[in-house]
């Protein structure tokens, strides 16, 4: 029996994780669930999975959730705050941690799981983008097992040879990172500025949380994924090519020196990478239907248009620059996306904010978690200033 903590259980990845868990009560048991604002959903999840602990943001939410759990006669203990998230990610009873909190707030608990040597199922790509060096050092020194949940990285992981590792390339030449291109792949360029949050979140192939949906519309998501792939697979940015593939059937590819390209295909459903990582190195049923390859019929590919997707260009530059640049990019993007979702910034303002922050904030070489977090804070303050200057709205 594998005991699991799900950080961000109430989100899209969290719910898909629990769907896989429910299919395998003989293999997986939930130790702790975390949620932020959706307390009713978290209470329902506690009712179904009977975790030992539930984690929420603050004392007030904890009191509310405790009341709901008491009325269901549940013994789940309710705790709150960042430290509780870290403690439950690192608890000795836990075998596996699904890191599915969105954004920079996911860094500390995800790092805590790595430092405790857990099997870390990484959905929270922002952790690696912000603090890839520190994170990978923690994985190595605690001998944690890091398995990617991001569908592209999970696909790459599946296509890499078993001989791939530090100092051993196993014949890999490069990686082809596929991208759907999101909902705005072919809208006229001059209409982008007027796109609304609901339009940006209407992804053609994937059902996801709102932040990553906006990142997919700007293609910042692919830029973050490029940085994520560099850390996970010890690649240089030049060894990764971003390829637009609108059908999202191929989830990414690995090219070998002999000219072979291996791809992982499937329906766009996150339960495939989740089940793959949870059961690895075995395979279990995920609930995902067979891919109908006949109906799929066509697989299209194109190069990304960097004029349409300036966020991808900015992320590629940050990847090449290294140091604190990816952390600054990530923080500025989080602030800009929140402003866009809140109606304070037009869609095209997201790239303008990120670009301005990267110009204004000095790029350093952070060597501790505190240094990374101070870069993150500096970029957030700068992004807020830029938004006020661009829009006149505080
Ligand atoms: P979501 O918005 O649906 O869920 C986010 C989760 O984080 C929720 O459980 C929420 O309660 C929690 N959360 C939000 N703010 C928090 C805070 N301040 N403190 C503690 N918890 C907080 O997001 P999602 O789509 O499930 O994405 C989660 C992560 O997985 C992101 O990093 C995203 O990039 C990554 N990811 C998602 C998908 C996908 O298909 N959804 C695919 C690849 C990677
Ligand atoms: Mg992805």
């Amino acid at each position: 029996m594998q005991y699991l903590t799900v950080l961000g259980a109430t989100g899209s990845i969290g719910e898909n994780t629990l769907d896989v868990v429910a299919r395998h009560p003989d293999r997986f048991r939930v130790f702790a669930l975390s949620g932020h604002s959706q307390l009713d959903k978290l209470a329902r999840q506690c009712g179904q999975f009977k975790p030992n602990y539930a984690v929420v943001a603050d004392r007030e939410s904890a009191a509310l959730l405790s009341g709901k759990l008491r009325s269901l006669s549940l013994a789940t203990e309710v705790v709150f705050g960042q430290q509780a998230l870290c403690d439950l990610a690192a608890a000795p009873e836990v075998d596996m941690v699904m890191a599915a909190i969105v954004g920079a707030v996911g860094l500390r608990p995800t790092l805590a799981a790595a430092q405790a040597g857990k099997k870390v199922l990484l959905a929270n790509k922002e952790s690696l983008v912000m603090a890839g060096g520190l994170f990978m050092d923690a994985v190595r020194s605690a001998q944690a097992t890091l398995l990617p949940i991001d569908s592209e990285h999970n696909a790459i992981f599946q296509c890499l040879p078993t001989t791939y590792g530090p100092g051993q390339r196993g014949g890999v030449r490069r990686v082809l990172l596929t991208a759907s291109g999101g909902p705005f792949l072919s809208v006229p360029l001059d209409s982008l500025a007027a796109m609304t949050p609901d339009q940006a979140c209407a992804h053609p192939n994937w059902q996801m949380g709102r932040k990553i949906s906006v990142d997919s519309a700007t293609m910042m998501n692919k830029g973050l994924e490029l940085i994520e792939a560099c850390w996970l697979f010890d690649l240089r940015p030049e060894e990764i090519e971003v390829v637009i593939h609108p059908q999202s059937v191929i989830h990414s590819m690995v090219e070998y020196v002999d000219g072979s390209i291996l791809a992982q295909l499937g329906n766009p459903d996150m339960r495939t990478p989740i089940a793959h990582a949870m059961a690895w190195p075995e395979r279990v049923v995920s609930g995902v239907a067979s891919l109908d390859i006949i109906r799929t019929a066509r697989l299209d590919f194109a190069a990304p248009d960097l004029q349409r997707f300036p966020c991808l260009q900015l992320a590629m530059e940050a990847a090449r620059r290294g140091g604190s640049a990816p952390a600054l990019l990530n923080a500025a993007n989080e602030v800009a996306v929140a402003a866009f979702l809140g109606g304070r910034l037009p869609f095209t303002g997201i790239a303008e904010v990120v670009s301005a922050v990267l110009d204004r904030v000095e790029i350093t070489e952070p060597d501790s978690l505190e240094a990374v977090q101070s870069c993150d804070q500096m970029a957030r303050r700068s992004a807020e200033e830029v938004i006020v200057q661009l829009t006149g709205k505080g």
Side-chain angles (χ1 to χ4, degrees), residues 14 70 75 318 376 381 390:
R70 258 196 309 279
D376 174 88
R381 280 193 299 274
L390 282 176

Side-chain angles (χ1 to χ4, degrees), residues 305-329:
D305 172 355
L306 295 179
Q307 200 192 335
R308 178 180 293 276
F309 298 113
C311 283
L312 177 59
Q313 170 95 47
L314 290 166
M316 285 157 74
E317 283 164 14
R320 280 193 287 269
R321 174 61 185 79
S324 62
L328 302 177
L329 171 99

Side-chain angles (χ1 to χ4, degrees), residues 125 150-153 212 221-222 225:
K125 64 191 88 185
D150 219 335
S151 57
E152 296 77 4
H153 305 73
I212 183 175
N221 184 50
K222 212 47 53 179
E225 289 186 355

Side-chain angles (χ1 to χ4, degrees), residues 53-369:
Y53 295 93
V55 198
V56 291
D58 48 33
R59 191 179 297 278
E60 200 188 334
S61 308
L64 280 170
L65 182 66
S66 296
K68 292 181 201 294
L69 298 189
R70 258 196 309 279
S71 66
L72 297 168
S73 307
L74 287 175
T76 301
E77 187 175 331
V78 180
V79 292
F80 63 89
Q82 269 272 324
Q83 191 54 48
L85 285 174
C86 296
D87 293 346
L88 291 172
E93 296 91 333
V94 173
D95 301 294
M96 245 185 318
V97 176
M98 170 57 77
I101 289 175
V102 59
V105 287
L107 171 59
R108 273 192 54 214
T110 309
L111 189 60
Q115 286 164 336
K118 303 301 182 194
K119 178 166 163 180
V120 183
L121 313 180
L122 186 76
N124 176 252
K125 64 191 88 185
E126 295 91 344
S127 299
L128 271 191
V129 171
M130 289 175 76
L134 291 171
F135 195 89
M136 296 309 289
D137 282 349
V139 167
R140 272 187 292 271
S141 59
Q143 296 187 321
T145 305
L146 182 58
L147 294 169
I149 295 300
D150 219 335
S151 57
E152 296 77 4
H153 305 73
N154 185 271
I156 295 164
F157 181 79
Q158 293 196 46
C159 296
L160 284 173
T162 49
T163 52
Y164 194 85
Q168 257 190 307
R169 301 283 297 190
V172 170
R173 181 185 280 155
R174 61 177 188 144
V175 159
L176 302 167
L177 184 66
T178 53
S180 69
F184 303 152
L185 181 59
S186 48
V187 304
L189 278 182
D190 58 8
S191 64
L192 277 181
M195 291 296 155
T196 66
D198 284 344
Q199 288 173 310
C201 291
H203 197 282
N205 307 336
W206 296 96
Q207 282 287 331
M208 308 182 285
R210 281 172 86 76
K211 189 264 178 181
I212 183 175
S213 295
V214 175
D215 286 349
S216 300
T218 59
M219 279 193 79
M220 178 59 92
N221 184 50
K222 212 47 53 179
L224 300 177
E225 289 186 355
L226 182 134
I227 299 167
E228 181 187 12
C230 287
W231 287 114
L232 281 173
F233 307 118
D234 195 19
L235 294 166
R236 287 176 284 117
E238 312 78 70
E239 294 173 305
I240 302 173
E241 182 172 347
V242 173
V243 181
I244 301 274
H245 166 47
Q247 290 90 356
S248 299
V249 165
I250 292 181
H251 301 311
S252 277
M253 300 173 254
V254 173
E255 183 184 318
Y256 287 77
V257 288
D258 61 7
S260 298
I261 293 181
L262 299 194
Q264 187 261 357
L265 287 72
N267 284 319
D269 186 321
M270 289 307 292
R271 290 175 302 174
T272 294
I274 289 168
H276 170 265
M278 283 179 66
W280 183 84
E282 293 172 26
R283 297 262 181 183
V284 294
V285 166
S286 66
V288 178
S290 294
L291 171 67
D292 186 338
I293 201 97
I294 307 289
R295 262 192 69 205
T296 303
R298 269 182 68 162
L299 301 175
D300 294 315
F301 304 99
D305 172 355
L306 295 179
Q307 200 192 335
R308 178 180 293 276
F309 298 113
C311 283
L312 177 59
Q313 170 95 47
L314 290 166
M316 285 157 74
E317 283 164 14
R320 280 193 287 269
R321 174 61 185 79
S324 62
L328 302 177
L329 171 99
N330 179 66
N333 181 59
E334 283 188 24
V335 172
V337 169
F340 168 65
L341 286 172
R344 284 169 61 214
L345 187 69
F347 180 75
T348 43
I350 297 171
E352 291 178 59
V353 171
V354 176
S355 174
V357 169
L358 284 167
D359 285 343
R360 289 177 185 202
V361 181
E362 189 196 353
I363 295 167
T364 55
E365 301 294 327
D367 57 1
S368 66
L369 183 60

